[in-house]
Amino acid sequence: AYLETLHMLQSGRKQTFGGFFSAVPRRATTLFSISLVSAICVFVISTLFGFLSSIVGSIAGLAIFAFGALLSAIVSLLFFLAVPAAIVENRGAVASIKSSFSKVPRNIVGVILYIIITAILFVPSLLTVVGLVLFWLPLSQAALLALYKKSK
């Protein structure tokens, strides 16, 4: 609901209070599906490489584990723009994931810069709940939507 409201405000459309709350059930299945698929993919990769590294042992096992961690991070990055795709383009889960998988590699520098900048801004916003809710959350989510819109 929050991302949809920010998208509407950025697009110059109005959002009502009722519209904000009606977005929750309308978007819940799609957003949950995206999160579930992403979590399962990262979990399977991490578990598989963790298991393989425990079988191999010592230095080779550490290298396998590091490769699995890197692969998990890459897969997580590929899912990065799936939620904005669902909100901005009003797509289903599968179409949003496909869109994210095609846009992230073409905009990898923007995605990594977004992650770094929002992580840096997150630290001072932790000082107060107000800073987190009124500063970091709207800023980071609006920037995420803008990143998605520019990645077309």
Side-chain angles (χ1 to χ4, degrees):
Y2 190 75
L3 269 177
E4 184 173 293
T5 300
L6 284 174
H7 170 61
M8 291 180 80
L9 290 172
Q10 285 178 346
S11 302
R13 292 181 279 165
K14 294 181 181 178
Q15 172 74 298
T16 65
F17 194 66
F20 176 80
F21 287 104
S22 71
V24 174
R26 198 168 8 101
R27 302 280 189 186
T29 303
T30 301
L31 299 180
F32 177 75
S33 300
I34 291 168
S35 299
L36 185 64
V37 170
S38 171
I40 289 171
C41 288
V42 171
F43 175 76
V44 167
I45 292 168
S46 299
T47 303
L48 177 67
F49 281 93
F51 178 72
L52 288 174
S53 69
S54 68
I55 291 173
V56 174
S58 71
I59 302 295
L62 185 60
I64 291 171
F65 183 78
F67 180 74
L70 177 65
L71 191 58
S72 293
I74 291 169
V75 169
S76 294
L77 279 175
L78 289 173
F79 280 97
F80 195 76
L81 294 175
V83 170
I87 300 297
V88 173
E89 304 292 336
N90 199 22
R91 296 180 176 192
V94 174
S96 297
I97 291 169
K98 284 181 183 178
S99 175
S100 182
F101 272 53
S102 70
K103 290 183 181 198
V104 168
R106 292 188 308 230
N107 299 289
I108 193 68
V109 173
V111 169
I112 291 172
L113 282 174
Y114 170 83
I115 292 169
I116 292 169
I117 291 169
T118 56
I120 291 169
L121 291 175
F122 180 72
V123 175
S125 70
L126 283 175
L127 296 175
T128 66
V129 174
V130 174
L132 186 63
V133 173
L134 295 180
F135 171 69
W136 185 80
L137 185 62
L139 182 67
S140 66
Q141 297 305 298
L144 180 61
L145 288 171
L147 175 65
Y148 176 79
K149 290 175 184 177
K150 288 188 178 197
S151 69
K152 293 183 178 186

